């Protein structure tokens, strides 16, 4: 049931949002020269997949977990994208492909071994990673691996269709900050 909603909503989002996506990509092209950011992440069953987002940092920025990134690496346009969560829109493609869900645990990097172990111990990798979820709307990020894994497991153990739409709705309204760069 959730997968059907993922396909429907991501398809609608990509179609209806195409002009916005194109405009953001053109602005991003002028901002950094490469508007899309691709990064290998840990997916369902700990399989690798390439997550795609709008680039918010300079091209030469090291590929690390967001909470470890240098705040100075974020461009002015990137700050706007992050604040409005528009940088996440290209992930609708990941959702449509089946790499992700709209709602699920945020996918981490393979070098975040503590978080991977905590999530594996709780069965979190049985589900697709998501764009948003319980942790994101409560501002729990990857800097607290155990708490994040516990929150992810709690969400997955009781996720209903109602919860699914609630998490999406409150995220669109701006609740939570997700993974943020420390100043």
């Amino acid at each position: 049931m959730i997968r059907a909603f993922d396909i429907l909503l991501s398809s609608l989002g990509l179609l209806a949002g195409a002009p916005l996506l194109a405009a953001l990509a053109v602005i991003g092209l002028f901002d950094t020269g490469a508007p899309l950011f691709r990064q290998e992440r840990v997916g369902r069953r700990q399989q690798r997949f390439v997550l795609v987002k709008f680039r918010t940092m300079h091209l030469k920025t090291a590929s690390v977990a967001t909470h470890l990134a240098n705040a100075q690496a974020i461009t002015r346009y990137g700050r706007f994208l992050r604040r409005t969560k528009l940088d996440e829109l290209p992930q609708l493609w990941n959702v449509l492909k089946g790499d992700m869900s709209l709602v699920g645990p945020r996918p981490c990097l393979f070098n975040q071994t503590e978080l991977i172990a905590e999530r594996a111990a709780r069965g979190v990798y049985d589900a697709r990673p998501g764009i948003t979820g319980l942790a994101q709307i409560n501002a729990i990020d990857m800097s607290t691996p155990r708490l994040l894994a516990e929150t992810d497991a709690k969400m997955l153990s009781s996720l209903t269709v109602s919860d699914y739409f609630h998490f999406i709705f409150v995220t669109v309204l701006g609740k939570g900050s997700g993974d943020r760069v420390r100043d």
Side-chain angles (χ1 to χ4, degrees):
M1 172 77 79
I2 296 293
R3 182 69 188 133
F5 286 127
D6 280 344
I7 292 168
L8 177 67
L9 295 175
S10 62
S11 296
L12 288 173
L14 288 167
L15 288 172
L20 175 62
L21 287 162
L24 293 172
V26 169
I27 296 168
L29 186 62
F30 286 105
D31 185 50
T32 62
L36 292 179
F37 172 75
R38 293 173 188 85
Q39 188 177 57
E40 204 167 75
R41 298 283 181 106
V42 181
R44 187 177 193 187
R45 295 184 201 91
Q46 296 188 45
Q47 296 296 309
R48 295 176 185 272
F49 78 98
V50 177
L51 177 132
V52 61
K53 295 174 69 167
F54 281 123
R55 183 176 299 282
T56 61
M57 297 185 187
H58 296 287
L59 282 174
K60 302 294 183 190
T61 303
S63 184
V64 297
T66 302
H67 67 279
L68 299 175
N70 180 347
Q72 305 307 320
I74 301 173
T75 68
R76 228 171 91 195
Y77 177 60
R79 286 191 213 312
F80 165 76
L81 290 175
R82 284 171 172 264
R83 188 175 57 255
T84 59
K85 299 185 177 100
L86 292 172
D87 63 319
E88 308 285 354
L89 285 178
Q91 288 173 74
L92 292 174
W93 176 248
N94 289 111
V95 173
L96 186 61
K97 282 179 33 185
D99 295 331
M100 294 177 69
S101 175
L102 290 172
V103 174
R106 284 296 297 160
C108 64
L109 299 169
F110 278 92
N111 64 2
Q112 292 177 280
T113 54
E114 184 180 355
L115 177 56
I116 292 169
E118 292 284 352
R119 282 178 164 172
R122 290 168 179 78
V124 171
Y125 290 112
D126 293 341
R128 283 182 179 86
I131 295 175
T132 191
L134 181 60
Q136 286 66 45
I137 67 169
N138 288 295
I140 299 168
D141 69 14
M142 294 183 184
S143 66
T144 55
R146 180 178 218 147
L147 176 61
L148 179 57
E150 289 169 351
T151 305
D152 291 339
K154 177 183 174 184
M155 174 188 66
L156 293 171
S157 71
S158 63
L159 186 64
T160 64
V161 171
S162 175
D163 291 335
Y164 174 89
F165 284 102
H166 171 75
F167 294 142
I168 294 168
F169 183 70
V170 297
T171 299
V172 169
L173 291 180
K175 182 162 191 219
S177 56
D179 290 331
R180 55 198 173 276
V181 175
R182 307 285 189 231
D183 291 324

